[in-house]
Amino acid sequence: MQLFIKIKIELGVMMNIAVVTPQSVKGERGGAEGLYDGLIKALITKGHNVNHVKVLVDESTFESIVQAYCYCYYLDLDDYDVVISTKAPTYMVRHRNHISYLLHTIRVFYDMFDEISLGLDKIKQRELIYAFDKYGLDPSRIKKHCTIGHTVEERLRNADQFWNNIDFKLIYPDTLLSGFSEPKKGEFIFLPGRLHRWKRIDLVIKSMKYVKNGVKLLLAGKGEDEKNLKKLTRDLGLENRIEFLGPVSDNELIDLYSRSIVIPFVTKKEDFGYITIEAFRAKKPVITCHDSGEPTYIVKDGVSGFIVEPDPIKIAEKINFFIENPDEAANMGINGYDAVRHITWDNVTNDMLDGINIDPSERTPKINTLVLDMQPIEPAIGGGRLRLKGLYSNFPRNFQVTYIGSYDWSGEQHREIKISDNLNEIDVPFSKTHFDINSYLNKLVPQNVTIDVLSPFLIFASDEYVNRVKKELIKNEVIIVSHPWIYSVIYDDIKDKLLIYDSHNYEYGLREQLFPKNGFGKCIVEYVRFVESNLCKQADIILACSDEDKAKFVLNYGVDPEKIFILPNGTFVKDYDINIEKNKLKNELGIDNFAAIFVGSNYAPNVDAAEFIIKTLAQECGDIQFIIVGGVSDCVDKTSIPSNVLITGLVSNDDLKKYMLASDIALNPMVRGSGINIKMLDYFAAGLPVITTKIGARGLYNKNNYIESELSDFRKYIKLFLDDKNILTEMSKCARNTAESEYDWNKLSINLGNLIGKSLRGK
């Protein structure tokens, strides 16, 4: 019998934790998103390594809901010590230490079913969802059941007796809102939150007919029901007494709470309700209703507020009580404050992790990883450097990554910088001899760059670089060769190490396009084939950017397809704030018209694309502002630039994002290249529909966010976007959703980390 010693996780002992949450396809934020942020921040404060695993959940169709359930089930989270699931369907995940912090199941199949879903087919769908939920939340799969409220627990017990056998631990989440000051004299009635019919804001609006002394109601927030609520306000003749403030900042929200008389939170069957907690933190009383769900457990009737029937007159009676009795309002507000003082994020994490034990043999080991290339990462300019930064600065926290690069230009100094908590960059300049020999050989193919393709043998003229690679090689068990150019330094020293080829392109095919097909050009291309094919054969894992590249490796090098994994390029989705006002950015940047942007580095295929925009499109589309950004600006013919073309040159990352967010569409008229164009993914992250050639869209499959076109038809599709704002808006939403769900560097890095962990165990 094997003996396992269990170690209790005490405070201060670091664990690797995954917090799994659903993400709406609309990208909306509400109380749940604030809860996720607060929980993750609290766990990190405790000293744990935490990764936020977001699962895109589309609840618009039953089929997409089922797909999300299946996706969660197949998530590979084995490398974490603990997994915390949240809303449906994230509890379908499989893990030995699975904590369910249940916000709620999908309510349209539970308490809201009779209001929304009718028909036999809907009943059958509900039965399937019930079966999924019973399986996902079965005690045999869950180490600890927690929930945010009694209401969530009761909803399940009312649906099926199955839930009577589960012991749920109630853990009220804290709010992220902080900085509450002493309350001020009440001036108005205040209610923040989403304008949704389940929040029953219409009851509060109707109650204002009976509220005395001309006191006003202020509503903060936005939502689906805003139009109907404004119409109701007009129909009741209350326009002068009710203000719709729209979204407000945290500081404004705290001030509004402070100056309110009472908070009438009369939602229907609420799971938890941050508004109750925030009102009490501001020392303000709350009015809620008997059927409002969790607020009825938090508000003590006659002590910290009132619990009434969902009737406008009854609500108005209590509002009038607080207007006429400000001292009572103050006392009840203080009672509410005392009632929620124990709700802190520190207590949340203590309660959640209390009693969780782990097997030492299951702890995620530290994985020392060496990544090799011949370019710097920072500043991350151009596709190759963006991939390096995106993948390896977002690795799971149990990875310690050392990157050794160089400069493909002379005159730089040795440097070592820390890019992220687990990624260190070391840049060792190539020697003068290295550059001198390259310059001599480059004269044989003067229209091409050779510093990369010749480095597999010229690298040995750079002793300092080679020696540093050899030194670091000993310390790391995972070796990642990014591009094939440094492979020659390590090929006979890797022994039992895990060797990974991160192929940014199918290099042989790309160089065939770029170099002359005779003389020294042909020699270089064949040399690239020799180096890349040998690396592919020796590598344990090959990362291909697209299915097309994978097929070429298999066909031309005879590589086992089982060891090739598709890991597309990605984008830093969170860097693009798509909620920023586009017209404001246009004014700041001097853009007057409908704008189309092209971004490119100093790279021959990008130059071709930019020249097409300047010499053809700009001439055909005089009413469009064309913006060309990046190193490609230095290479285009500037002798006759049309007035509707703005060439910015190299700009900072912040300015690049501004230009992209100020644009209306993006262009990618590429006619040659390999791998996925990272610029396409950045366009998607910025919410830009794209008109692209087939080459520009290589490796992409979701055509809901781009139009694939011949160069001759670009003008036609630009006009389509200019004339039809509905198509523009829909494709913009699809572009952003695609970036979030498929091309977020954080998710791609986690997938690669899991793959490496599994491969190490197998090796």
Side-chain angles (χ1 to χ4, degrees):
M1 174 176 159
Q2 189 173 9
L3 177 64
F4 289 101
I5 300 174
K6 296 289 183 179
I7 297 178
K8 184 175 180 179
I9 298 300
E10 302 290 354
L11 295 180
V13 177
M14 185 274 288
M15 288 189 292
N16 294 315
I17 301 174
V19 177
V20 189
T21 72
Q23 179 174 325
S24 166
V25 293
K26 297 179 181 179
E28 298 170 337
R29 281 188 62 85
E33 285 67 33
L35 185 155
Y36 306 149
D37 292 345
L39 175 61
I40 290 167
K41 183 179 179 181
L43 290 167
I44 292 173
T45 301
K46 287 286 189 182
H48 301 296
N49 291 327
V50 185
N51 189 61
H52 189 180
V53 180
K54 297 180 183 179
V55 177
L56 199 66
V57 178
D58 181 0
E59 294 188 11
S60 62
T61 68
F62 182 71
E63 290 73 17
S64 60
I65 290 173
V66 172
Q67 184 179 23
Y69 270 85
C70 295
Y71 181 84
C72 289
Y73 177 81
Y74 285 108
L75 271 177
D76 184 355
L77 303 171
D78 282 349
D79 287 338
Y80 293 96
D81 296 320
V82 173
V83 170
I84 300 173
S85 64
T86 52
K87 282 201 299 189
T90 62
Y91 40 71
M92 292 296 288
V93 298
R94 296 168 292 169
H95 197 271
R96 58 195 176 277
N97 290 312
H98 178 182
I99 299 173
S100 166
Y101 189 27
L102 184 62
L103 277 64
H104 59 73
T105 49
I106 299 178
R107 292 183 62 186
V108 294
F109 295 108
Y110 285 84
D111 58 311
M112 295 298 181
F113 184 78
D114 292 333
E115 296 186 21
I116 297 174
S117 305
L118 299 173
L120 182 60
D121 59 330
K122 300 297 183 184
I123 293 174
K124 290 180 178 178
Q125 290 175 4
R126 179 176 65 175
E127 290 174 353
L128 181 58
I129 295 299
Y130 278 14
F132 277 148
D133 290 347
K134 288 179 187 177
Y135 172 79
L137 290 166
D138 191 287
S140 65
R141 302 182 73 249
I142 306 291
K143 184 65 70 75
K144 190 170 185 177
H145 279 280
C146 307
T147 184
I148 61 169
H150 303 82
T151 302
V152 176
E153 181 180 345
E154 290 171 359
R155 184 182 299 142
L156 294 174
R157 299 196 198 284
N158 290 336
D160 198 291
Q161 291 183 350
F162 169 83
W163 305 102
N164 294 334
N165 300 320
I166 295 178
D167 182 21
F168 289 96
K169 181 175 181 60
L170 175 69
I171 302 179
Y172 281 150
D174 196 3
T175 174
L176 281 181
L177 203 59
S178 61
F180 290 98
S181 58
E182 283 302 305
K184 300 173 184 175
K185 180 181 177 181
E187 304 171 23
F188 43 74
I189 315 303
F190 177 55
L191 178 58
R194 184 178 165 193
L195 304 182
H196 187 278
R197 59 193 177 104
W198 291 358
K199 304 299 181 181
R200 295 198 301 203
I201 297 165
D202 60 313
L203 285 180
V204 182
I205 291 175
K206 291 173 183 176
S207 75
M208 291 301 294
K209 288 175 58 181
Y210 311 103
V211 171
K212 301 176 181 178
N213 301 338
V215 174
K216 298 182 74 170
L217 167 65
L218 273 56
L219 299 170
K222 61 180 181 179
E224 306 90 325
D225 214 26
E226 182 174 354
K227 184 177 179 181
N228 293 332
L229 294 174
K230 287 182 175 178
K231 181 178 184 301
L232 174 62
T233 300
R234 291 193 299 271
D235 291 346
L236 295 174
L238 295 171
E239 298 99 317
N240 295 329
R241 293 190 61 194
I242 298 176
E243 290 186 25
F244 290 82
L245 304 178
V248 297
S249 68
D250 285 354
N251 289 336
E252 291 172 318
L253 183 57
I254 289 171
D255 179 63
L256 289 164
Y257 272 126
S258 176
R259 295 190 291 125
S260 64
I261 298 169
V262 62
I263 311 299
F265 188 45
V266 297
T267 182
K268 185 174 184 178
K269 301 178 183 178
E270 184 70 37
D271 305 303
F272 171 60
Y274 266 125
I275 291 172
T276 309
I277 306 299
E278 291 171 355
F280 284 171
R281 288 279 167 82
K283 297 183 179 177
K284 296 295 179 177
V286 174
I287 298 170
T288 193
C289 294
H290 291 296
D291 62 349
S292 288
E294 203 60 28
T296 64
Y297 290 92
I298 303 172
V299 176
K300 299 302 179 186
D301 191 29
V303 176
S304 55
F306 291 111
I307 304 175
V308 301
E309 294 300 321
D311 178 87
I313 295 177
K314 298 295 183 183
I315 296 168
E317 287 176 358
K318 298 307 180 185
I319 292 176
N320 288 329
F321 172 85
F322 287 120
I323 293 172
E324 296 166 355
N325 299 277
D327 291 342
E328 280 298 309
N331 289 334
M332 288 192 184
I334 292 172
N335 292 338
Y337 176 80
D338 290 337
V340 300
R341 290 177 68 176
H342 69 286
I343 302 174
T344 67
W345 282 117
D346 189 56
N347 288 337
V348 169
T349 53
N350 288 346
D351 289 346
M352 191 173 297
L353 297 178
D354 181 48
I356 295 298
N357 302 313
I358 66 168
D359 185 334
S361 66
E362 296 174 342
R363 291 304 299 268
T364 304
K366 200 74 171 175
I367 300 177
N368 295 313
T369 303
L370 178 63
V371 182
L372 302 173
D373 207 336
M374 53 168 294
Q375 57 189 329
I377 296 178
E378 290 286 16
I381 300 170
R385 289 154 76 171
L386 284 168
R387 182 175 175 91
L388 286 165
K389 183 174 183 179
L391 269 186
Y392 304 118
S393 66
N394 285 281
F395 251 8
R397 290 174 179 264
N398 63 307
F399 279 76
Q400 188 56 53
V401 185
T402 300
Y403 173 78
I404 300 182
S406 187
Y407 309 92
D408 51 9
W409 64 93
S410 60
E412 295 291 344
Q413 299 296 314
H414 181 107
R415 72 168 184 174
E416 298 190 15
I417 58 175
K418 191 175 186 65
I419 294 181
S420 66
D421 288 342
N422 54 350
L423 174 59
N424 294 313
E425 177 181 353
I426 301 169
D427 295 312
V428 184
F430 290 155
S431 69
K432 182 178 182 300
T433 302
H434 189 145
F435 282 112
D436 286 347
I437 299 173
N438 178 74
S439 296
Y440 177 79
L441 294 174
N442 205 165
K443 294 175 183 177
L444 300 175
V445 281
Q447 302 302 316
N448 294 272
V449 175
T450 58
I451 189 66
D452 49 1
V453 294
L454 295 180
S455 281
F457 69 90
L458 291 184
I459 192 68
F460 295 99
S462 294
D463 291 339
E464 185 183 358
Y465 181 92
V466 171
N467 291 337
R468 187 59 186 264
V469 170
K470 297 278 190 181
K471 178 181 176 182
E472 295 295 333
L473 200 62
I474 300 169
K475 306 174 186 177
N476 295 272
E477 60 262 36
V478 178
I479 312 299
I480 300 178
V481 180
S482 178
H483 291 101
W485 318 125
I486 307 302
Y487 168 59
S488 59
V489 178
I490 56 99
Y491 78 96
D492 59 350
D493 291 322
I494 53 176
K495 297 180 181 177
D496 295 328
K497 300 179 186 296
L498 184 73
L499 177 62
I500 300 173
Y501 172 34
D502 180 13
S503 68
H504 296 227
N505 307 287
Y506 169 53
E507 295 292 349
Y508 170 61
L510 178 59
R511 305 302 157 161
E512 262 196 323
Q513 298 177 41
L514 299 177
F515 280 86
K517 300 195 171 34
N518 53 37
F520 189 53
K522 181 175 177 59
C523 292
I524 288 177
V525 171
E526 289 304 315
Y527 182 57
V528 169
R529 177 186 176 91
F530 171 79
V531 172
E532 187 174 46
S533 64
N534 279 280
L535 173 55
C536 284
K537 290 169 184 174
Q538 189 175 13
D540 298 291
I541 294 171
I542 299 171
L543 306 177
C545 286
S546 65
D547 287 320
E548 291 90 339
D549 284 0
K550 176 178 179 176
K552 289 169 183 174
F553 287 138
V554 173
L555 178 65
N556 293 303
Y557 299 151
V559 178
D560 179 0
E562 294 296 316
K563 73 175 186 179
I564 306 177
F565 296 86
I566 305 300
L567 191 75
N569 283 320
T571 181
F572 299 97
V573 177
K574 290 182 180 178
D575 286 357
Y576 295 89
D577 181 7
I578 58 173
N579 295 316
I580 197 166
E581 188 179 341
K582 194 177 288 289
N583 287 333
K584 182 179 178 181
L585 278 180
K586 283 180 182 284
N587 291 334
E588 178 184 338
L589 299 170
I591 300 170
D592 299 324
N593 298 338
F594 187 91
I597 192 169
F598 173 74
V599 179
S601 60
N602 180 0
Y603 173 53
N606 285 331
V607 177
D608 295 340
E611 293 284 2
F612 167 73
I613 293 171
I614 294 168
K615 296 179 179 178
T616 302
L617 282 183
Q619 310 290 341
E620 296 175 346
C621 307
D623 53 347
I624 304 296
Q625 174 76 68
F626 293 93
I627 306 170
I628 297 175
V629 184
V632 68
S633 305
D634 299 330
C635 307
V636 297
D637 180 5
K638 298 187 179 68
T639 55
S640 57
I641 303 296
S643 60
N644 62 332
V645 175
L646 171 63
I647 300 179
T648 70
L650 274 174
V651 297
S652 68
N653 283 335
D654 287 342
D655 285 343
L656 171 60
K657 294 178 184 67
K658 284 183 180 180
Y659 278 112
M660 291 181 68
L661 292 168
S663 298
D664 298 285
I665 62 172
L667 305 175
N668 197 28
M670 305 286 281
V671 294
R672 50 184 174 150
S674 178
I676 291 178
N677 258 185
I678 287 184
K679 65 169 66 71
M680 290 287 287
L681 313 181
D682 291 340
Y683 293 156
F684 296 164
L688 292 175
V690 188
I691 305 171
T692 178
T693 58
K694 185 175 182 179
I695 291 293
R698 59 193 182 273
L700 303 175
Y701 308 101
N702 186 349
K703 295 188 179 181
N704 292 325
N705 30 280
Y706 66 86
I707 292 176
E708 195 173 286
S709 168
E710 298 292 333
L711 291 179
S712 58
D713 288 331
F714 266 55
R715 176 188 179 185
K716 176 178 72 175
Y717 291 118
I718 290 173
K719 190 175 187 308
L720 172 67
F721 284 125
L722 182 62
D723 294 341
D724 195 327
K725 294 298 186 290
N726 289 330
I727 292 178
L728 182 69
T729 300
E730 284 305 309
M731 289 190 71
S732 174
K733 289 178 181 177
C734 287
R736 176 68 177 200
N737 289 338
T738 299
E740 291 177 349
S741 61
E742 298 180 34
Y743 299 111
D744 187 335
W745 276 128
N746 188 51
K747 294 179 181 178
L748 295 170
S749 297
I750 292 168
N751 292 340
L752 177 55
N754 290 337
L755 172 63
I756 291 174
K758 279 187 173 181
S759 300
L760 274 177
R761 290 193 293 271
K763 191 174 180 65

